[in-house]
Amino acid sequence: MKSKIKSLAKSKVEIIVTFDNNELLPFKNKALEELGQNLTLKGFRQGKAPLDLVESNVSPIELYEKLSLFALEKFYSQIISDNNIEPLGQPLISITKLIPNSLVELKLEISVMPHLTLTDYRQVAQGKQTSRQPITVTDEEVTEALTWLQKTRASTDPKTNTKIVPPLDDVFAQSLGNFQTLEELKKNIKEGLTIEKQEKEKERWRLEVMEEIIKQIKEEIPDILIEAEKSKMMEELKIRLAEMQLPFEEYLKQIKKTEEELLKDFLPLAEKRVKMALVLKEIAEQEKIEITEEEIEKKINEILNQLPDPELKNKINLEELKIFASGLIRNEKVFELLEKQQ
């Protein structure tokens, strides 16, 4: 078997594969059995004719087409390995040369995972350190949170039908949990708001770094990845709408768009999300970031414990969950590495 690879646009490759007769003949019986399934020959039920009779009733071209596909099925993983590519989806196959009893030449067009040439991401992260925003929580924000809590604990006077709001005092604080005084509650609220702001700032900074790296990507992104991301975004939207008990068709009426138009609108964000995922993957590979089985198991348990419905846990594909958890851990380790660049 010989193969020759050529790069195409949009992160695709063309591979010309040639099988000689010795590589094709081992699949002859299998090919004849399959071809014979559609033959009705005198004296035999359909698909039950002897193989030598089947061979005499099919054209050599038809036989060698079938042989080449069986050969490709067997040697495909070797072709991928020999040419050092990571395929996305199934190849587009065409026969470019066929000489019975001699050889078959196939052309494979395959979308492949792009290998990005990244800018100095460590330097980008270092340069973005000055854009970090300080975290402060004001007394007004604490008071606003307290007022909201106070309103949620209001009761209604059955005689006057008026709202009775509890006073903000130590008794109120004690009613909310393990707090002895109102000051303890205020301190807890301030700590919670601080953590929330820290998380938001961390996400903002990470996105800013990623966008700077993404801006400098020159490689074309495979359409198959972008289309898959658009479909994923659509499914995420439908799930959110279902949680809001808003039918998808009603939502489309409200925004005055079709599903196809909505998918088109998703394109810029889908492309950004795909590029970000590829950048994180590439950095992890360059930095040789490792993930242990213990880390994956811990993350899986965290995810499962967050699911409210026990029945939902039984429906989850654990292998897919393992891949998902591994990706989350890998991405977090990449971001932690970038955050340490001073």
Side-chain angles (χ1 to χ4, degrees):
M1 178 194 66
K2 298 177 182 178
S3 66
K4 184 179 180 181
I5 190 169
K6 180 175 76 173
S7 295
L8 304 176
K10 282 285 185 180
S11 194
K12 291 184 179 181
V13 296
E14 175 188 282
I15 302 179
I16 302 298
V17 182
T18 306
F19 295 113
D20 64 32
N21 207 43
N22 290 331
E23 292 164 328
L24 295 168
L25 287 180
F27 305 100
K28 185 175 180 180
N29 285 352
K30 187 176 181 180
L32 289 171
E33 286 173 2
E34 188 166 303
L35 291 169
Q37 295 301 312
N38 299 319
L39 280 181
T40 302
L41 300 177
K42 188 176 180 180
F44 299 95
R45 287 181 296 158
Q46 183 172 332
K48 299 299 181 180
L51 296 185
D52 57 344
L53 194 57
V54 172
E55 184 175 3
S56 64
N57 281 273
V58 297
S59 71
I61 299 294
E62 193 176 6
L63 173 60
Y64 270 78
E65 284 179 350
K66 187 67 69 175
L67 289 175
S68 67
L69 295 179
F70 281 128
L72 178 62
E73 183 180 351
K74 178 179 179 181
F75 291 107
Y76 185 68
S77 59
Q78 182 183 333
I79 294 167
I80 297 304
S81 177
D82 289 348
N83 289 282
N84 193 30
I85 60 173
E86 188 176 346
L88 300 168
Q90 296 300 312
L92 181 64
I93 306 167
S94 57
I95 297 175
T96 52
K97 185 185 294 185
L98 190 155
I99 305 174
N101 302 312
S102 179
L103 62 84
V104 177
E105 182 183 274
L106 302 176
K107 181 173 74 174
L108 312 181
E109 188 174 304
I110 311 171
S111 292
V112 296
M113 186 70 74
H115 291 286
L116 306 181
T117 303
L118 299 182
T119 184
D120 188 339
Y121 48 84
R122 287 174 175 262
Q123 189 174 23
V124 170
Q126 185 178 2
K128 290 292 182 181
Q129 293 294 347
T130 55
S131 74
R132 289 183 181 274
Q133 298 175 3
I135 304 300
T136 57
V137 175
T138 65
D139 291 341
E140 289 76 12
E141 289 172 310
V142 174
T143 300
E144 184 180 341
L146 264 176
T147 303
W148 179 83
L149 282 172
Q150 186 184 32
K151 289 179 179 178
T152 63
R153 296 301 188 273
S155 58
T156 303
D157 188 322
K159 294 181 180 180
T160 62
N161 201 32
T162 57
K163 290 284 185 181
I164 302 173
V165 180
L168 292 176
D169 54 19
D170 292 345
V171 174
F172 176 76
Q174 291 163 11
S175 71
L176 293 175
N178 192 25
F179 308 107
Q180 295 302 314
T181 66
L182 183 61
E183 287 306 312
E184 286 183 15
L185 175 58
K186 287 181 178 180
K187 181 181 177 182
N188 181 268
I189 290 173
K190 188 168 186 177
E191 289 172 352
L193 290 173
T194 300
I195 292 171
E196 183 181 334
K197 285 191 172 187
Q198 286 172 340
E199 286 300 311
K200 286 183 178 179
E201 171 57 19
K202 181 171 72 174
E203 292 304 314
R204 185 205 64 78
W205 185 85
R206 288 178 172 186
L207 182 59
E208 186 177 306
V209 172
M210 281 292 110
E211 287 179 338
E212 184 63 31
I213 297 171
I214 286 169
K215 277 197 305 187
Q216 302 180 52
I217 291 176
K218 299 294 191 294
E219 290 82 2
E220 292 183 295
I221 305 302
D223 289 334
I224 189 172
L225 289 180
I226 296 174
E227 291 304 313
E229 190 64 29
K230 285 164 62 179
S231 297
K232 180 182 175 184
M233 291 170 64
M234 183 64 74
E235 287 306 309
E236 290 171 350
L237 173 62
K238 289 179 178 179
I239 290 171
R240 290 197 302 271
L241 292 174
E243 290 172 348
M244 297 164 57
Q245 297 184 335
L246 176 61
F248 180 63
E249 293 73 18
E250 183 62 31
Y251 172 76
L252 291 177
K253 288 179 183 177
Q254 290 181 11
I255 64 172
K256 298 179 180 179
K257 289 188 177 182
T258 65
E259 185 168 349
E260 290 72 25
E261 289 171 333
L262 196 55
L263 279 169
K264 188 176 180 180
D265 291 344
F266 286 165
L267 178 59
L269 182 56
E271 189 169 356
K272 181 187 288 188
R273 283 170 55 159
V274 169
K275 286 181 177 180
M276 187 180 297
L278 292 174
V279 165
L280 290 167
K281 179 176 180 290
E282 189 70 32
I283 293 176
E285 289 176 359
Q286 291 188 22
E287 296 291 339
K288 296 180 172 56
I289 287 175
E290 296 181 352
I291 302 169
T292 66
E293 287 297 323
E294 290 76 15
E295 288 174 318
I296 295 173
E297 185 176 350
K298 181 181 178 182
K299 179 60 70 175
I300 287 174
N301 288 331
E302 287 176 4
I303 295 170
L304 291 176
N305 289 335
Q306 291 174 359
L307 297 177
D309 185 0
E311 289 296 320
L312 191 58
K313 295 181 182 180
N314 298 328
K315 296 177 182 178
I316 289 179
N317 185 310
L318 289 180
E319 281 304 311
E320 291 181 0
L321 181 58
K322 185 175 182 179
I323 294 171
F324 176 71
S326 179
L328 290 178
I329 298 166
R330 179 202 65 193
N331 293 349
E332 186 62 27
K333 288 189 175 187
V334 169
F335 280 123
E336 288 174 356
L337 179 144
L338 295 174
E339 287 165 350
K340 291 175 183 175
Q341 304 309 307
Q342 300 293 337

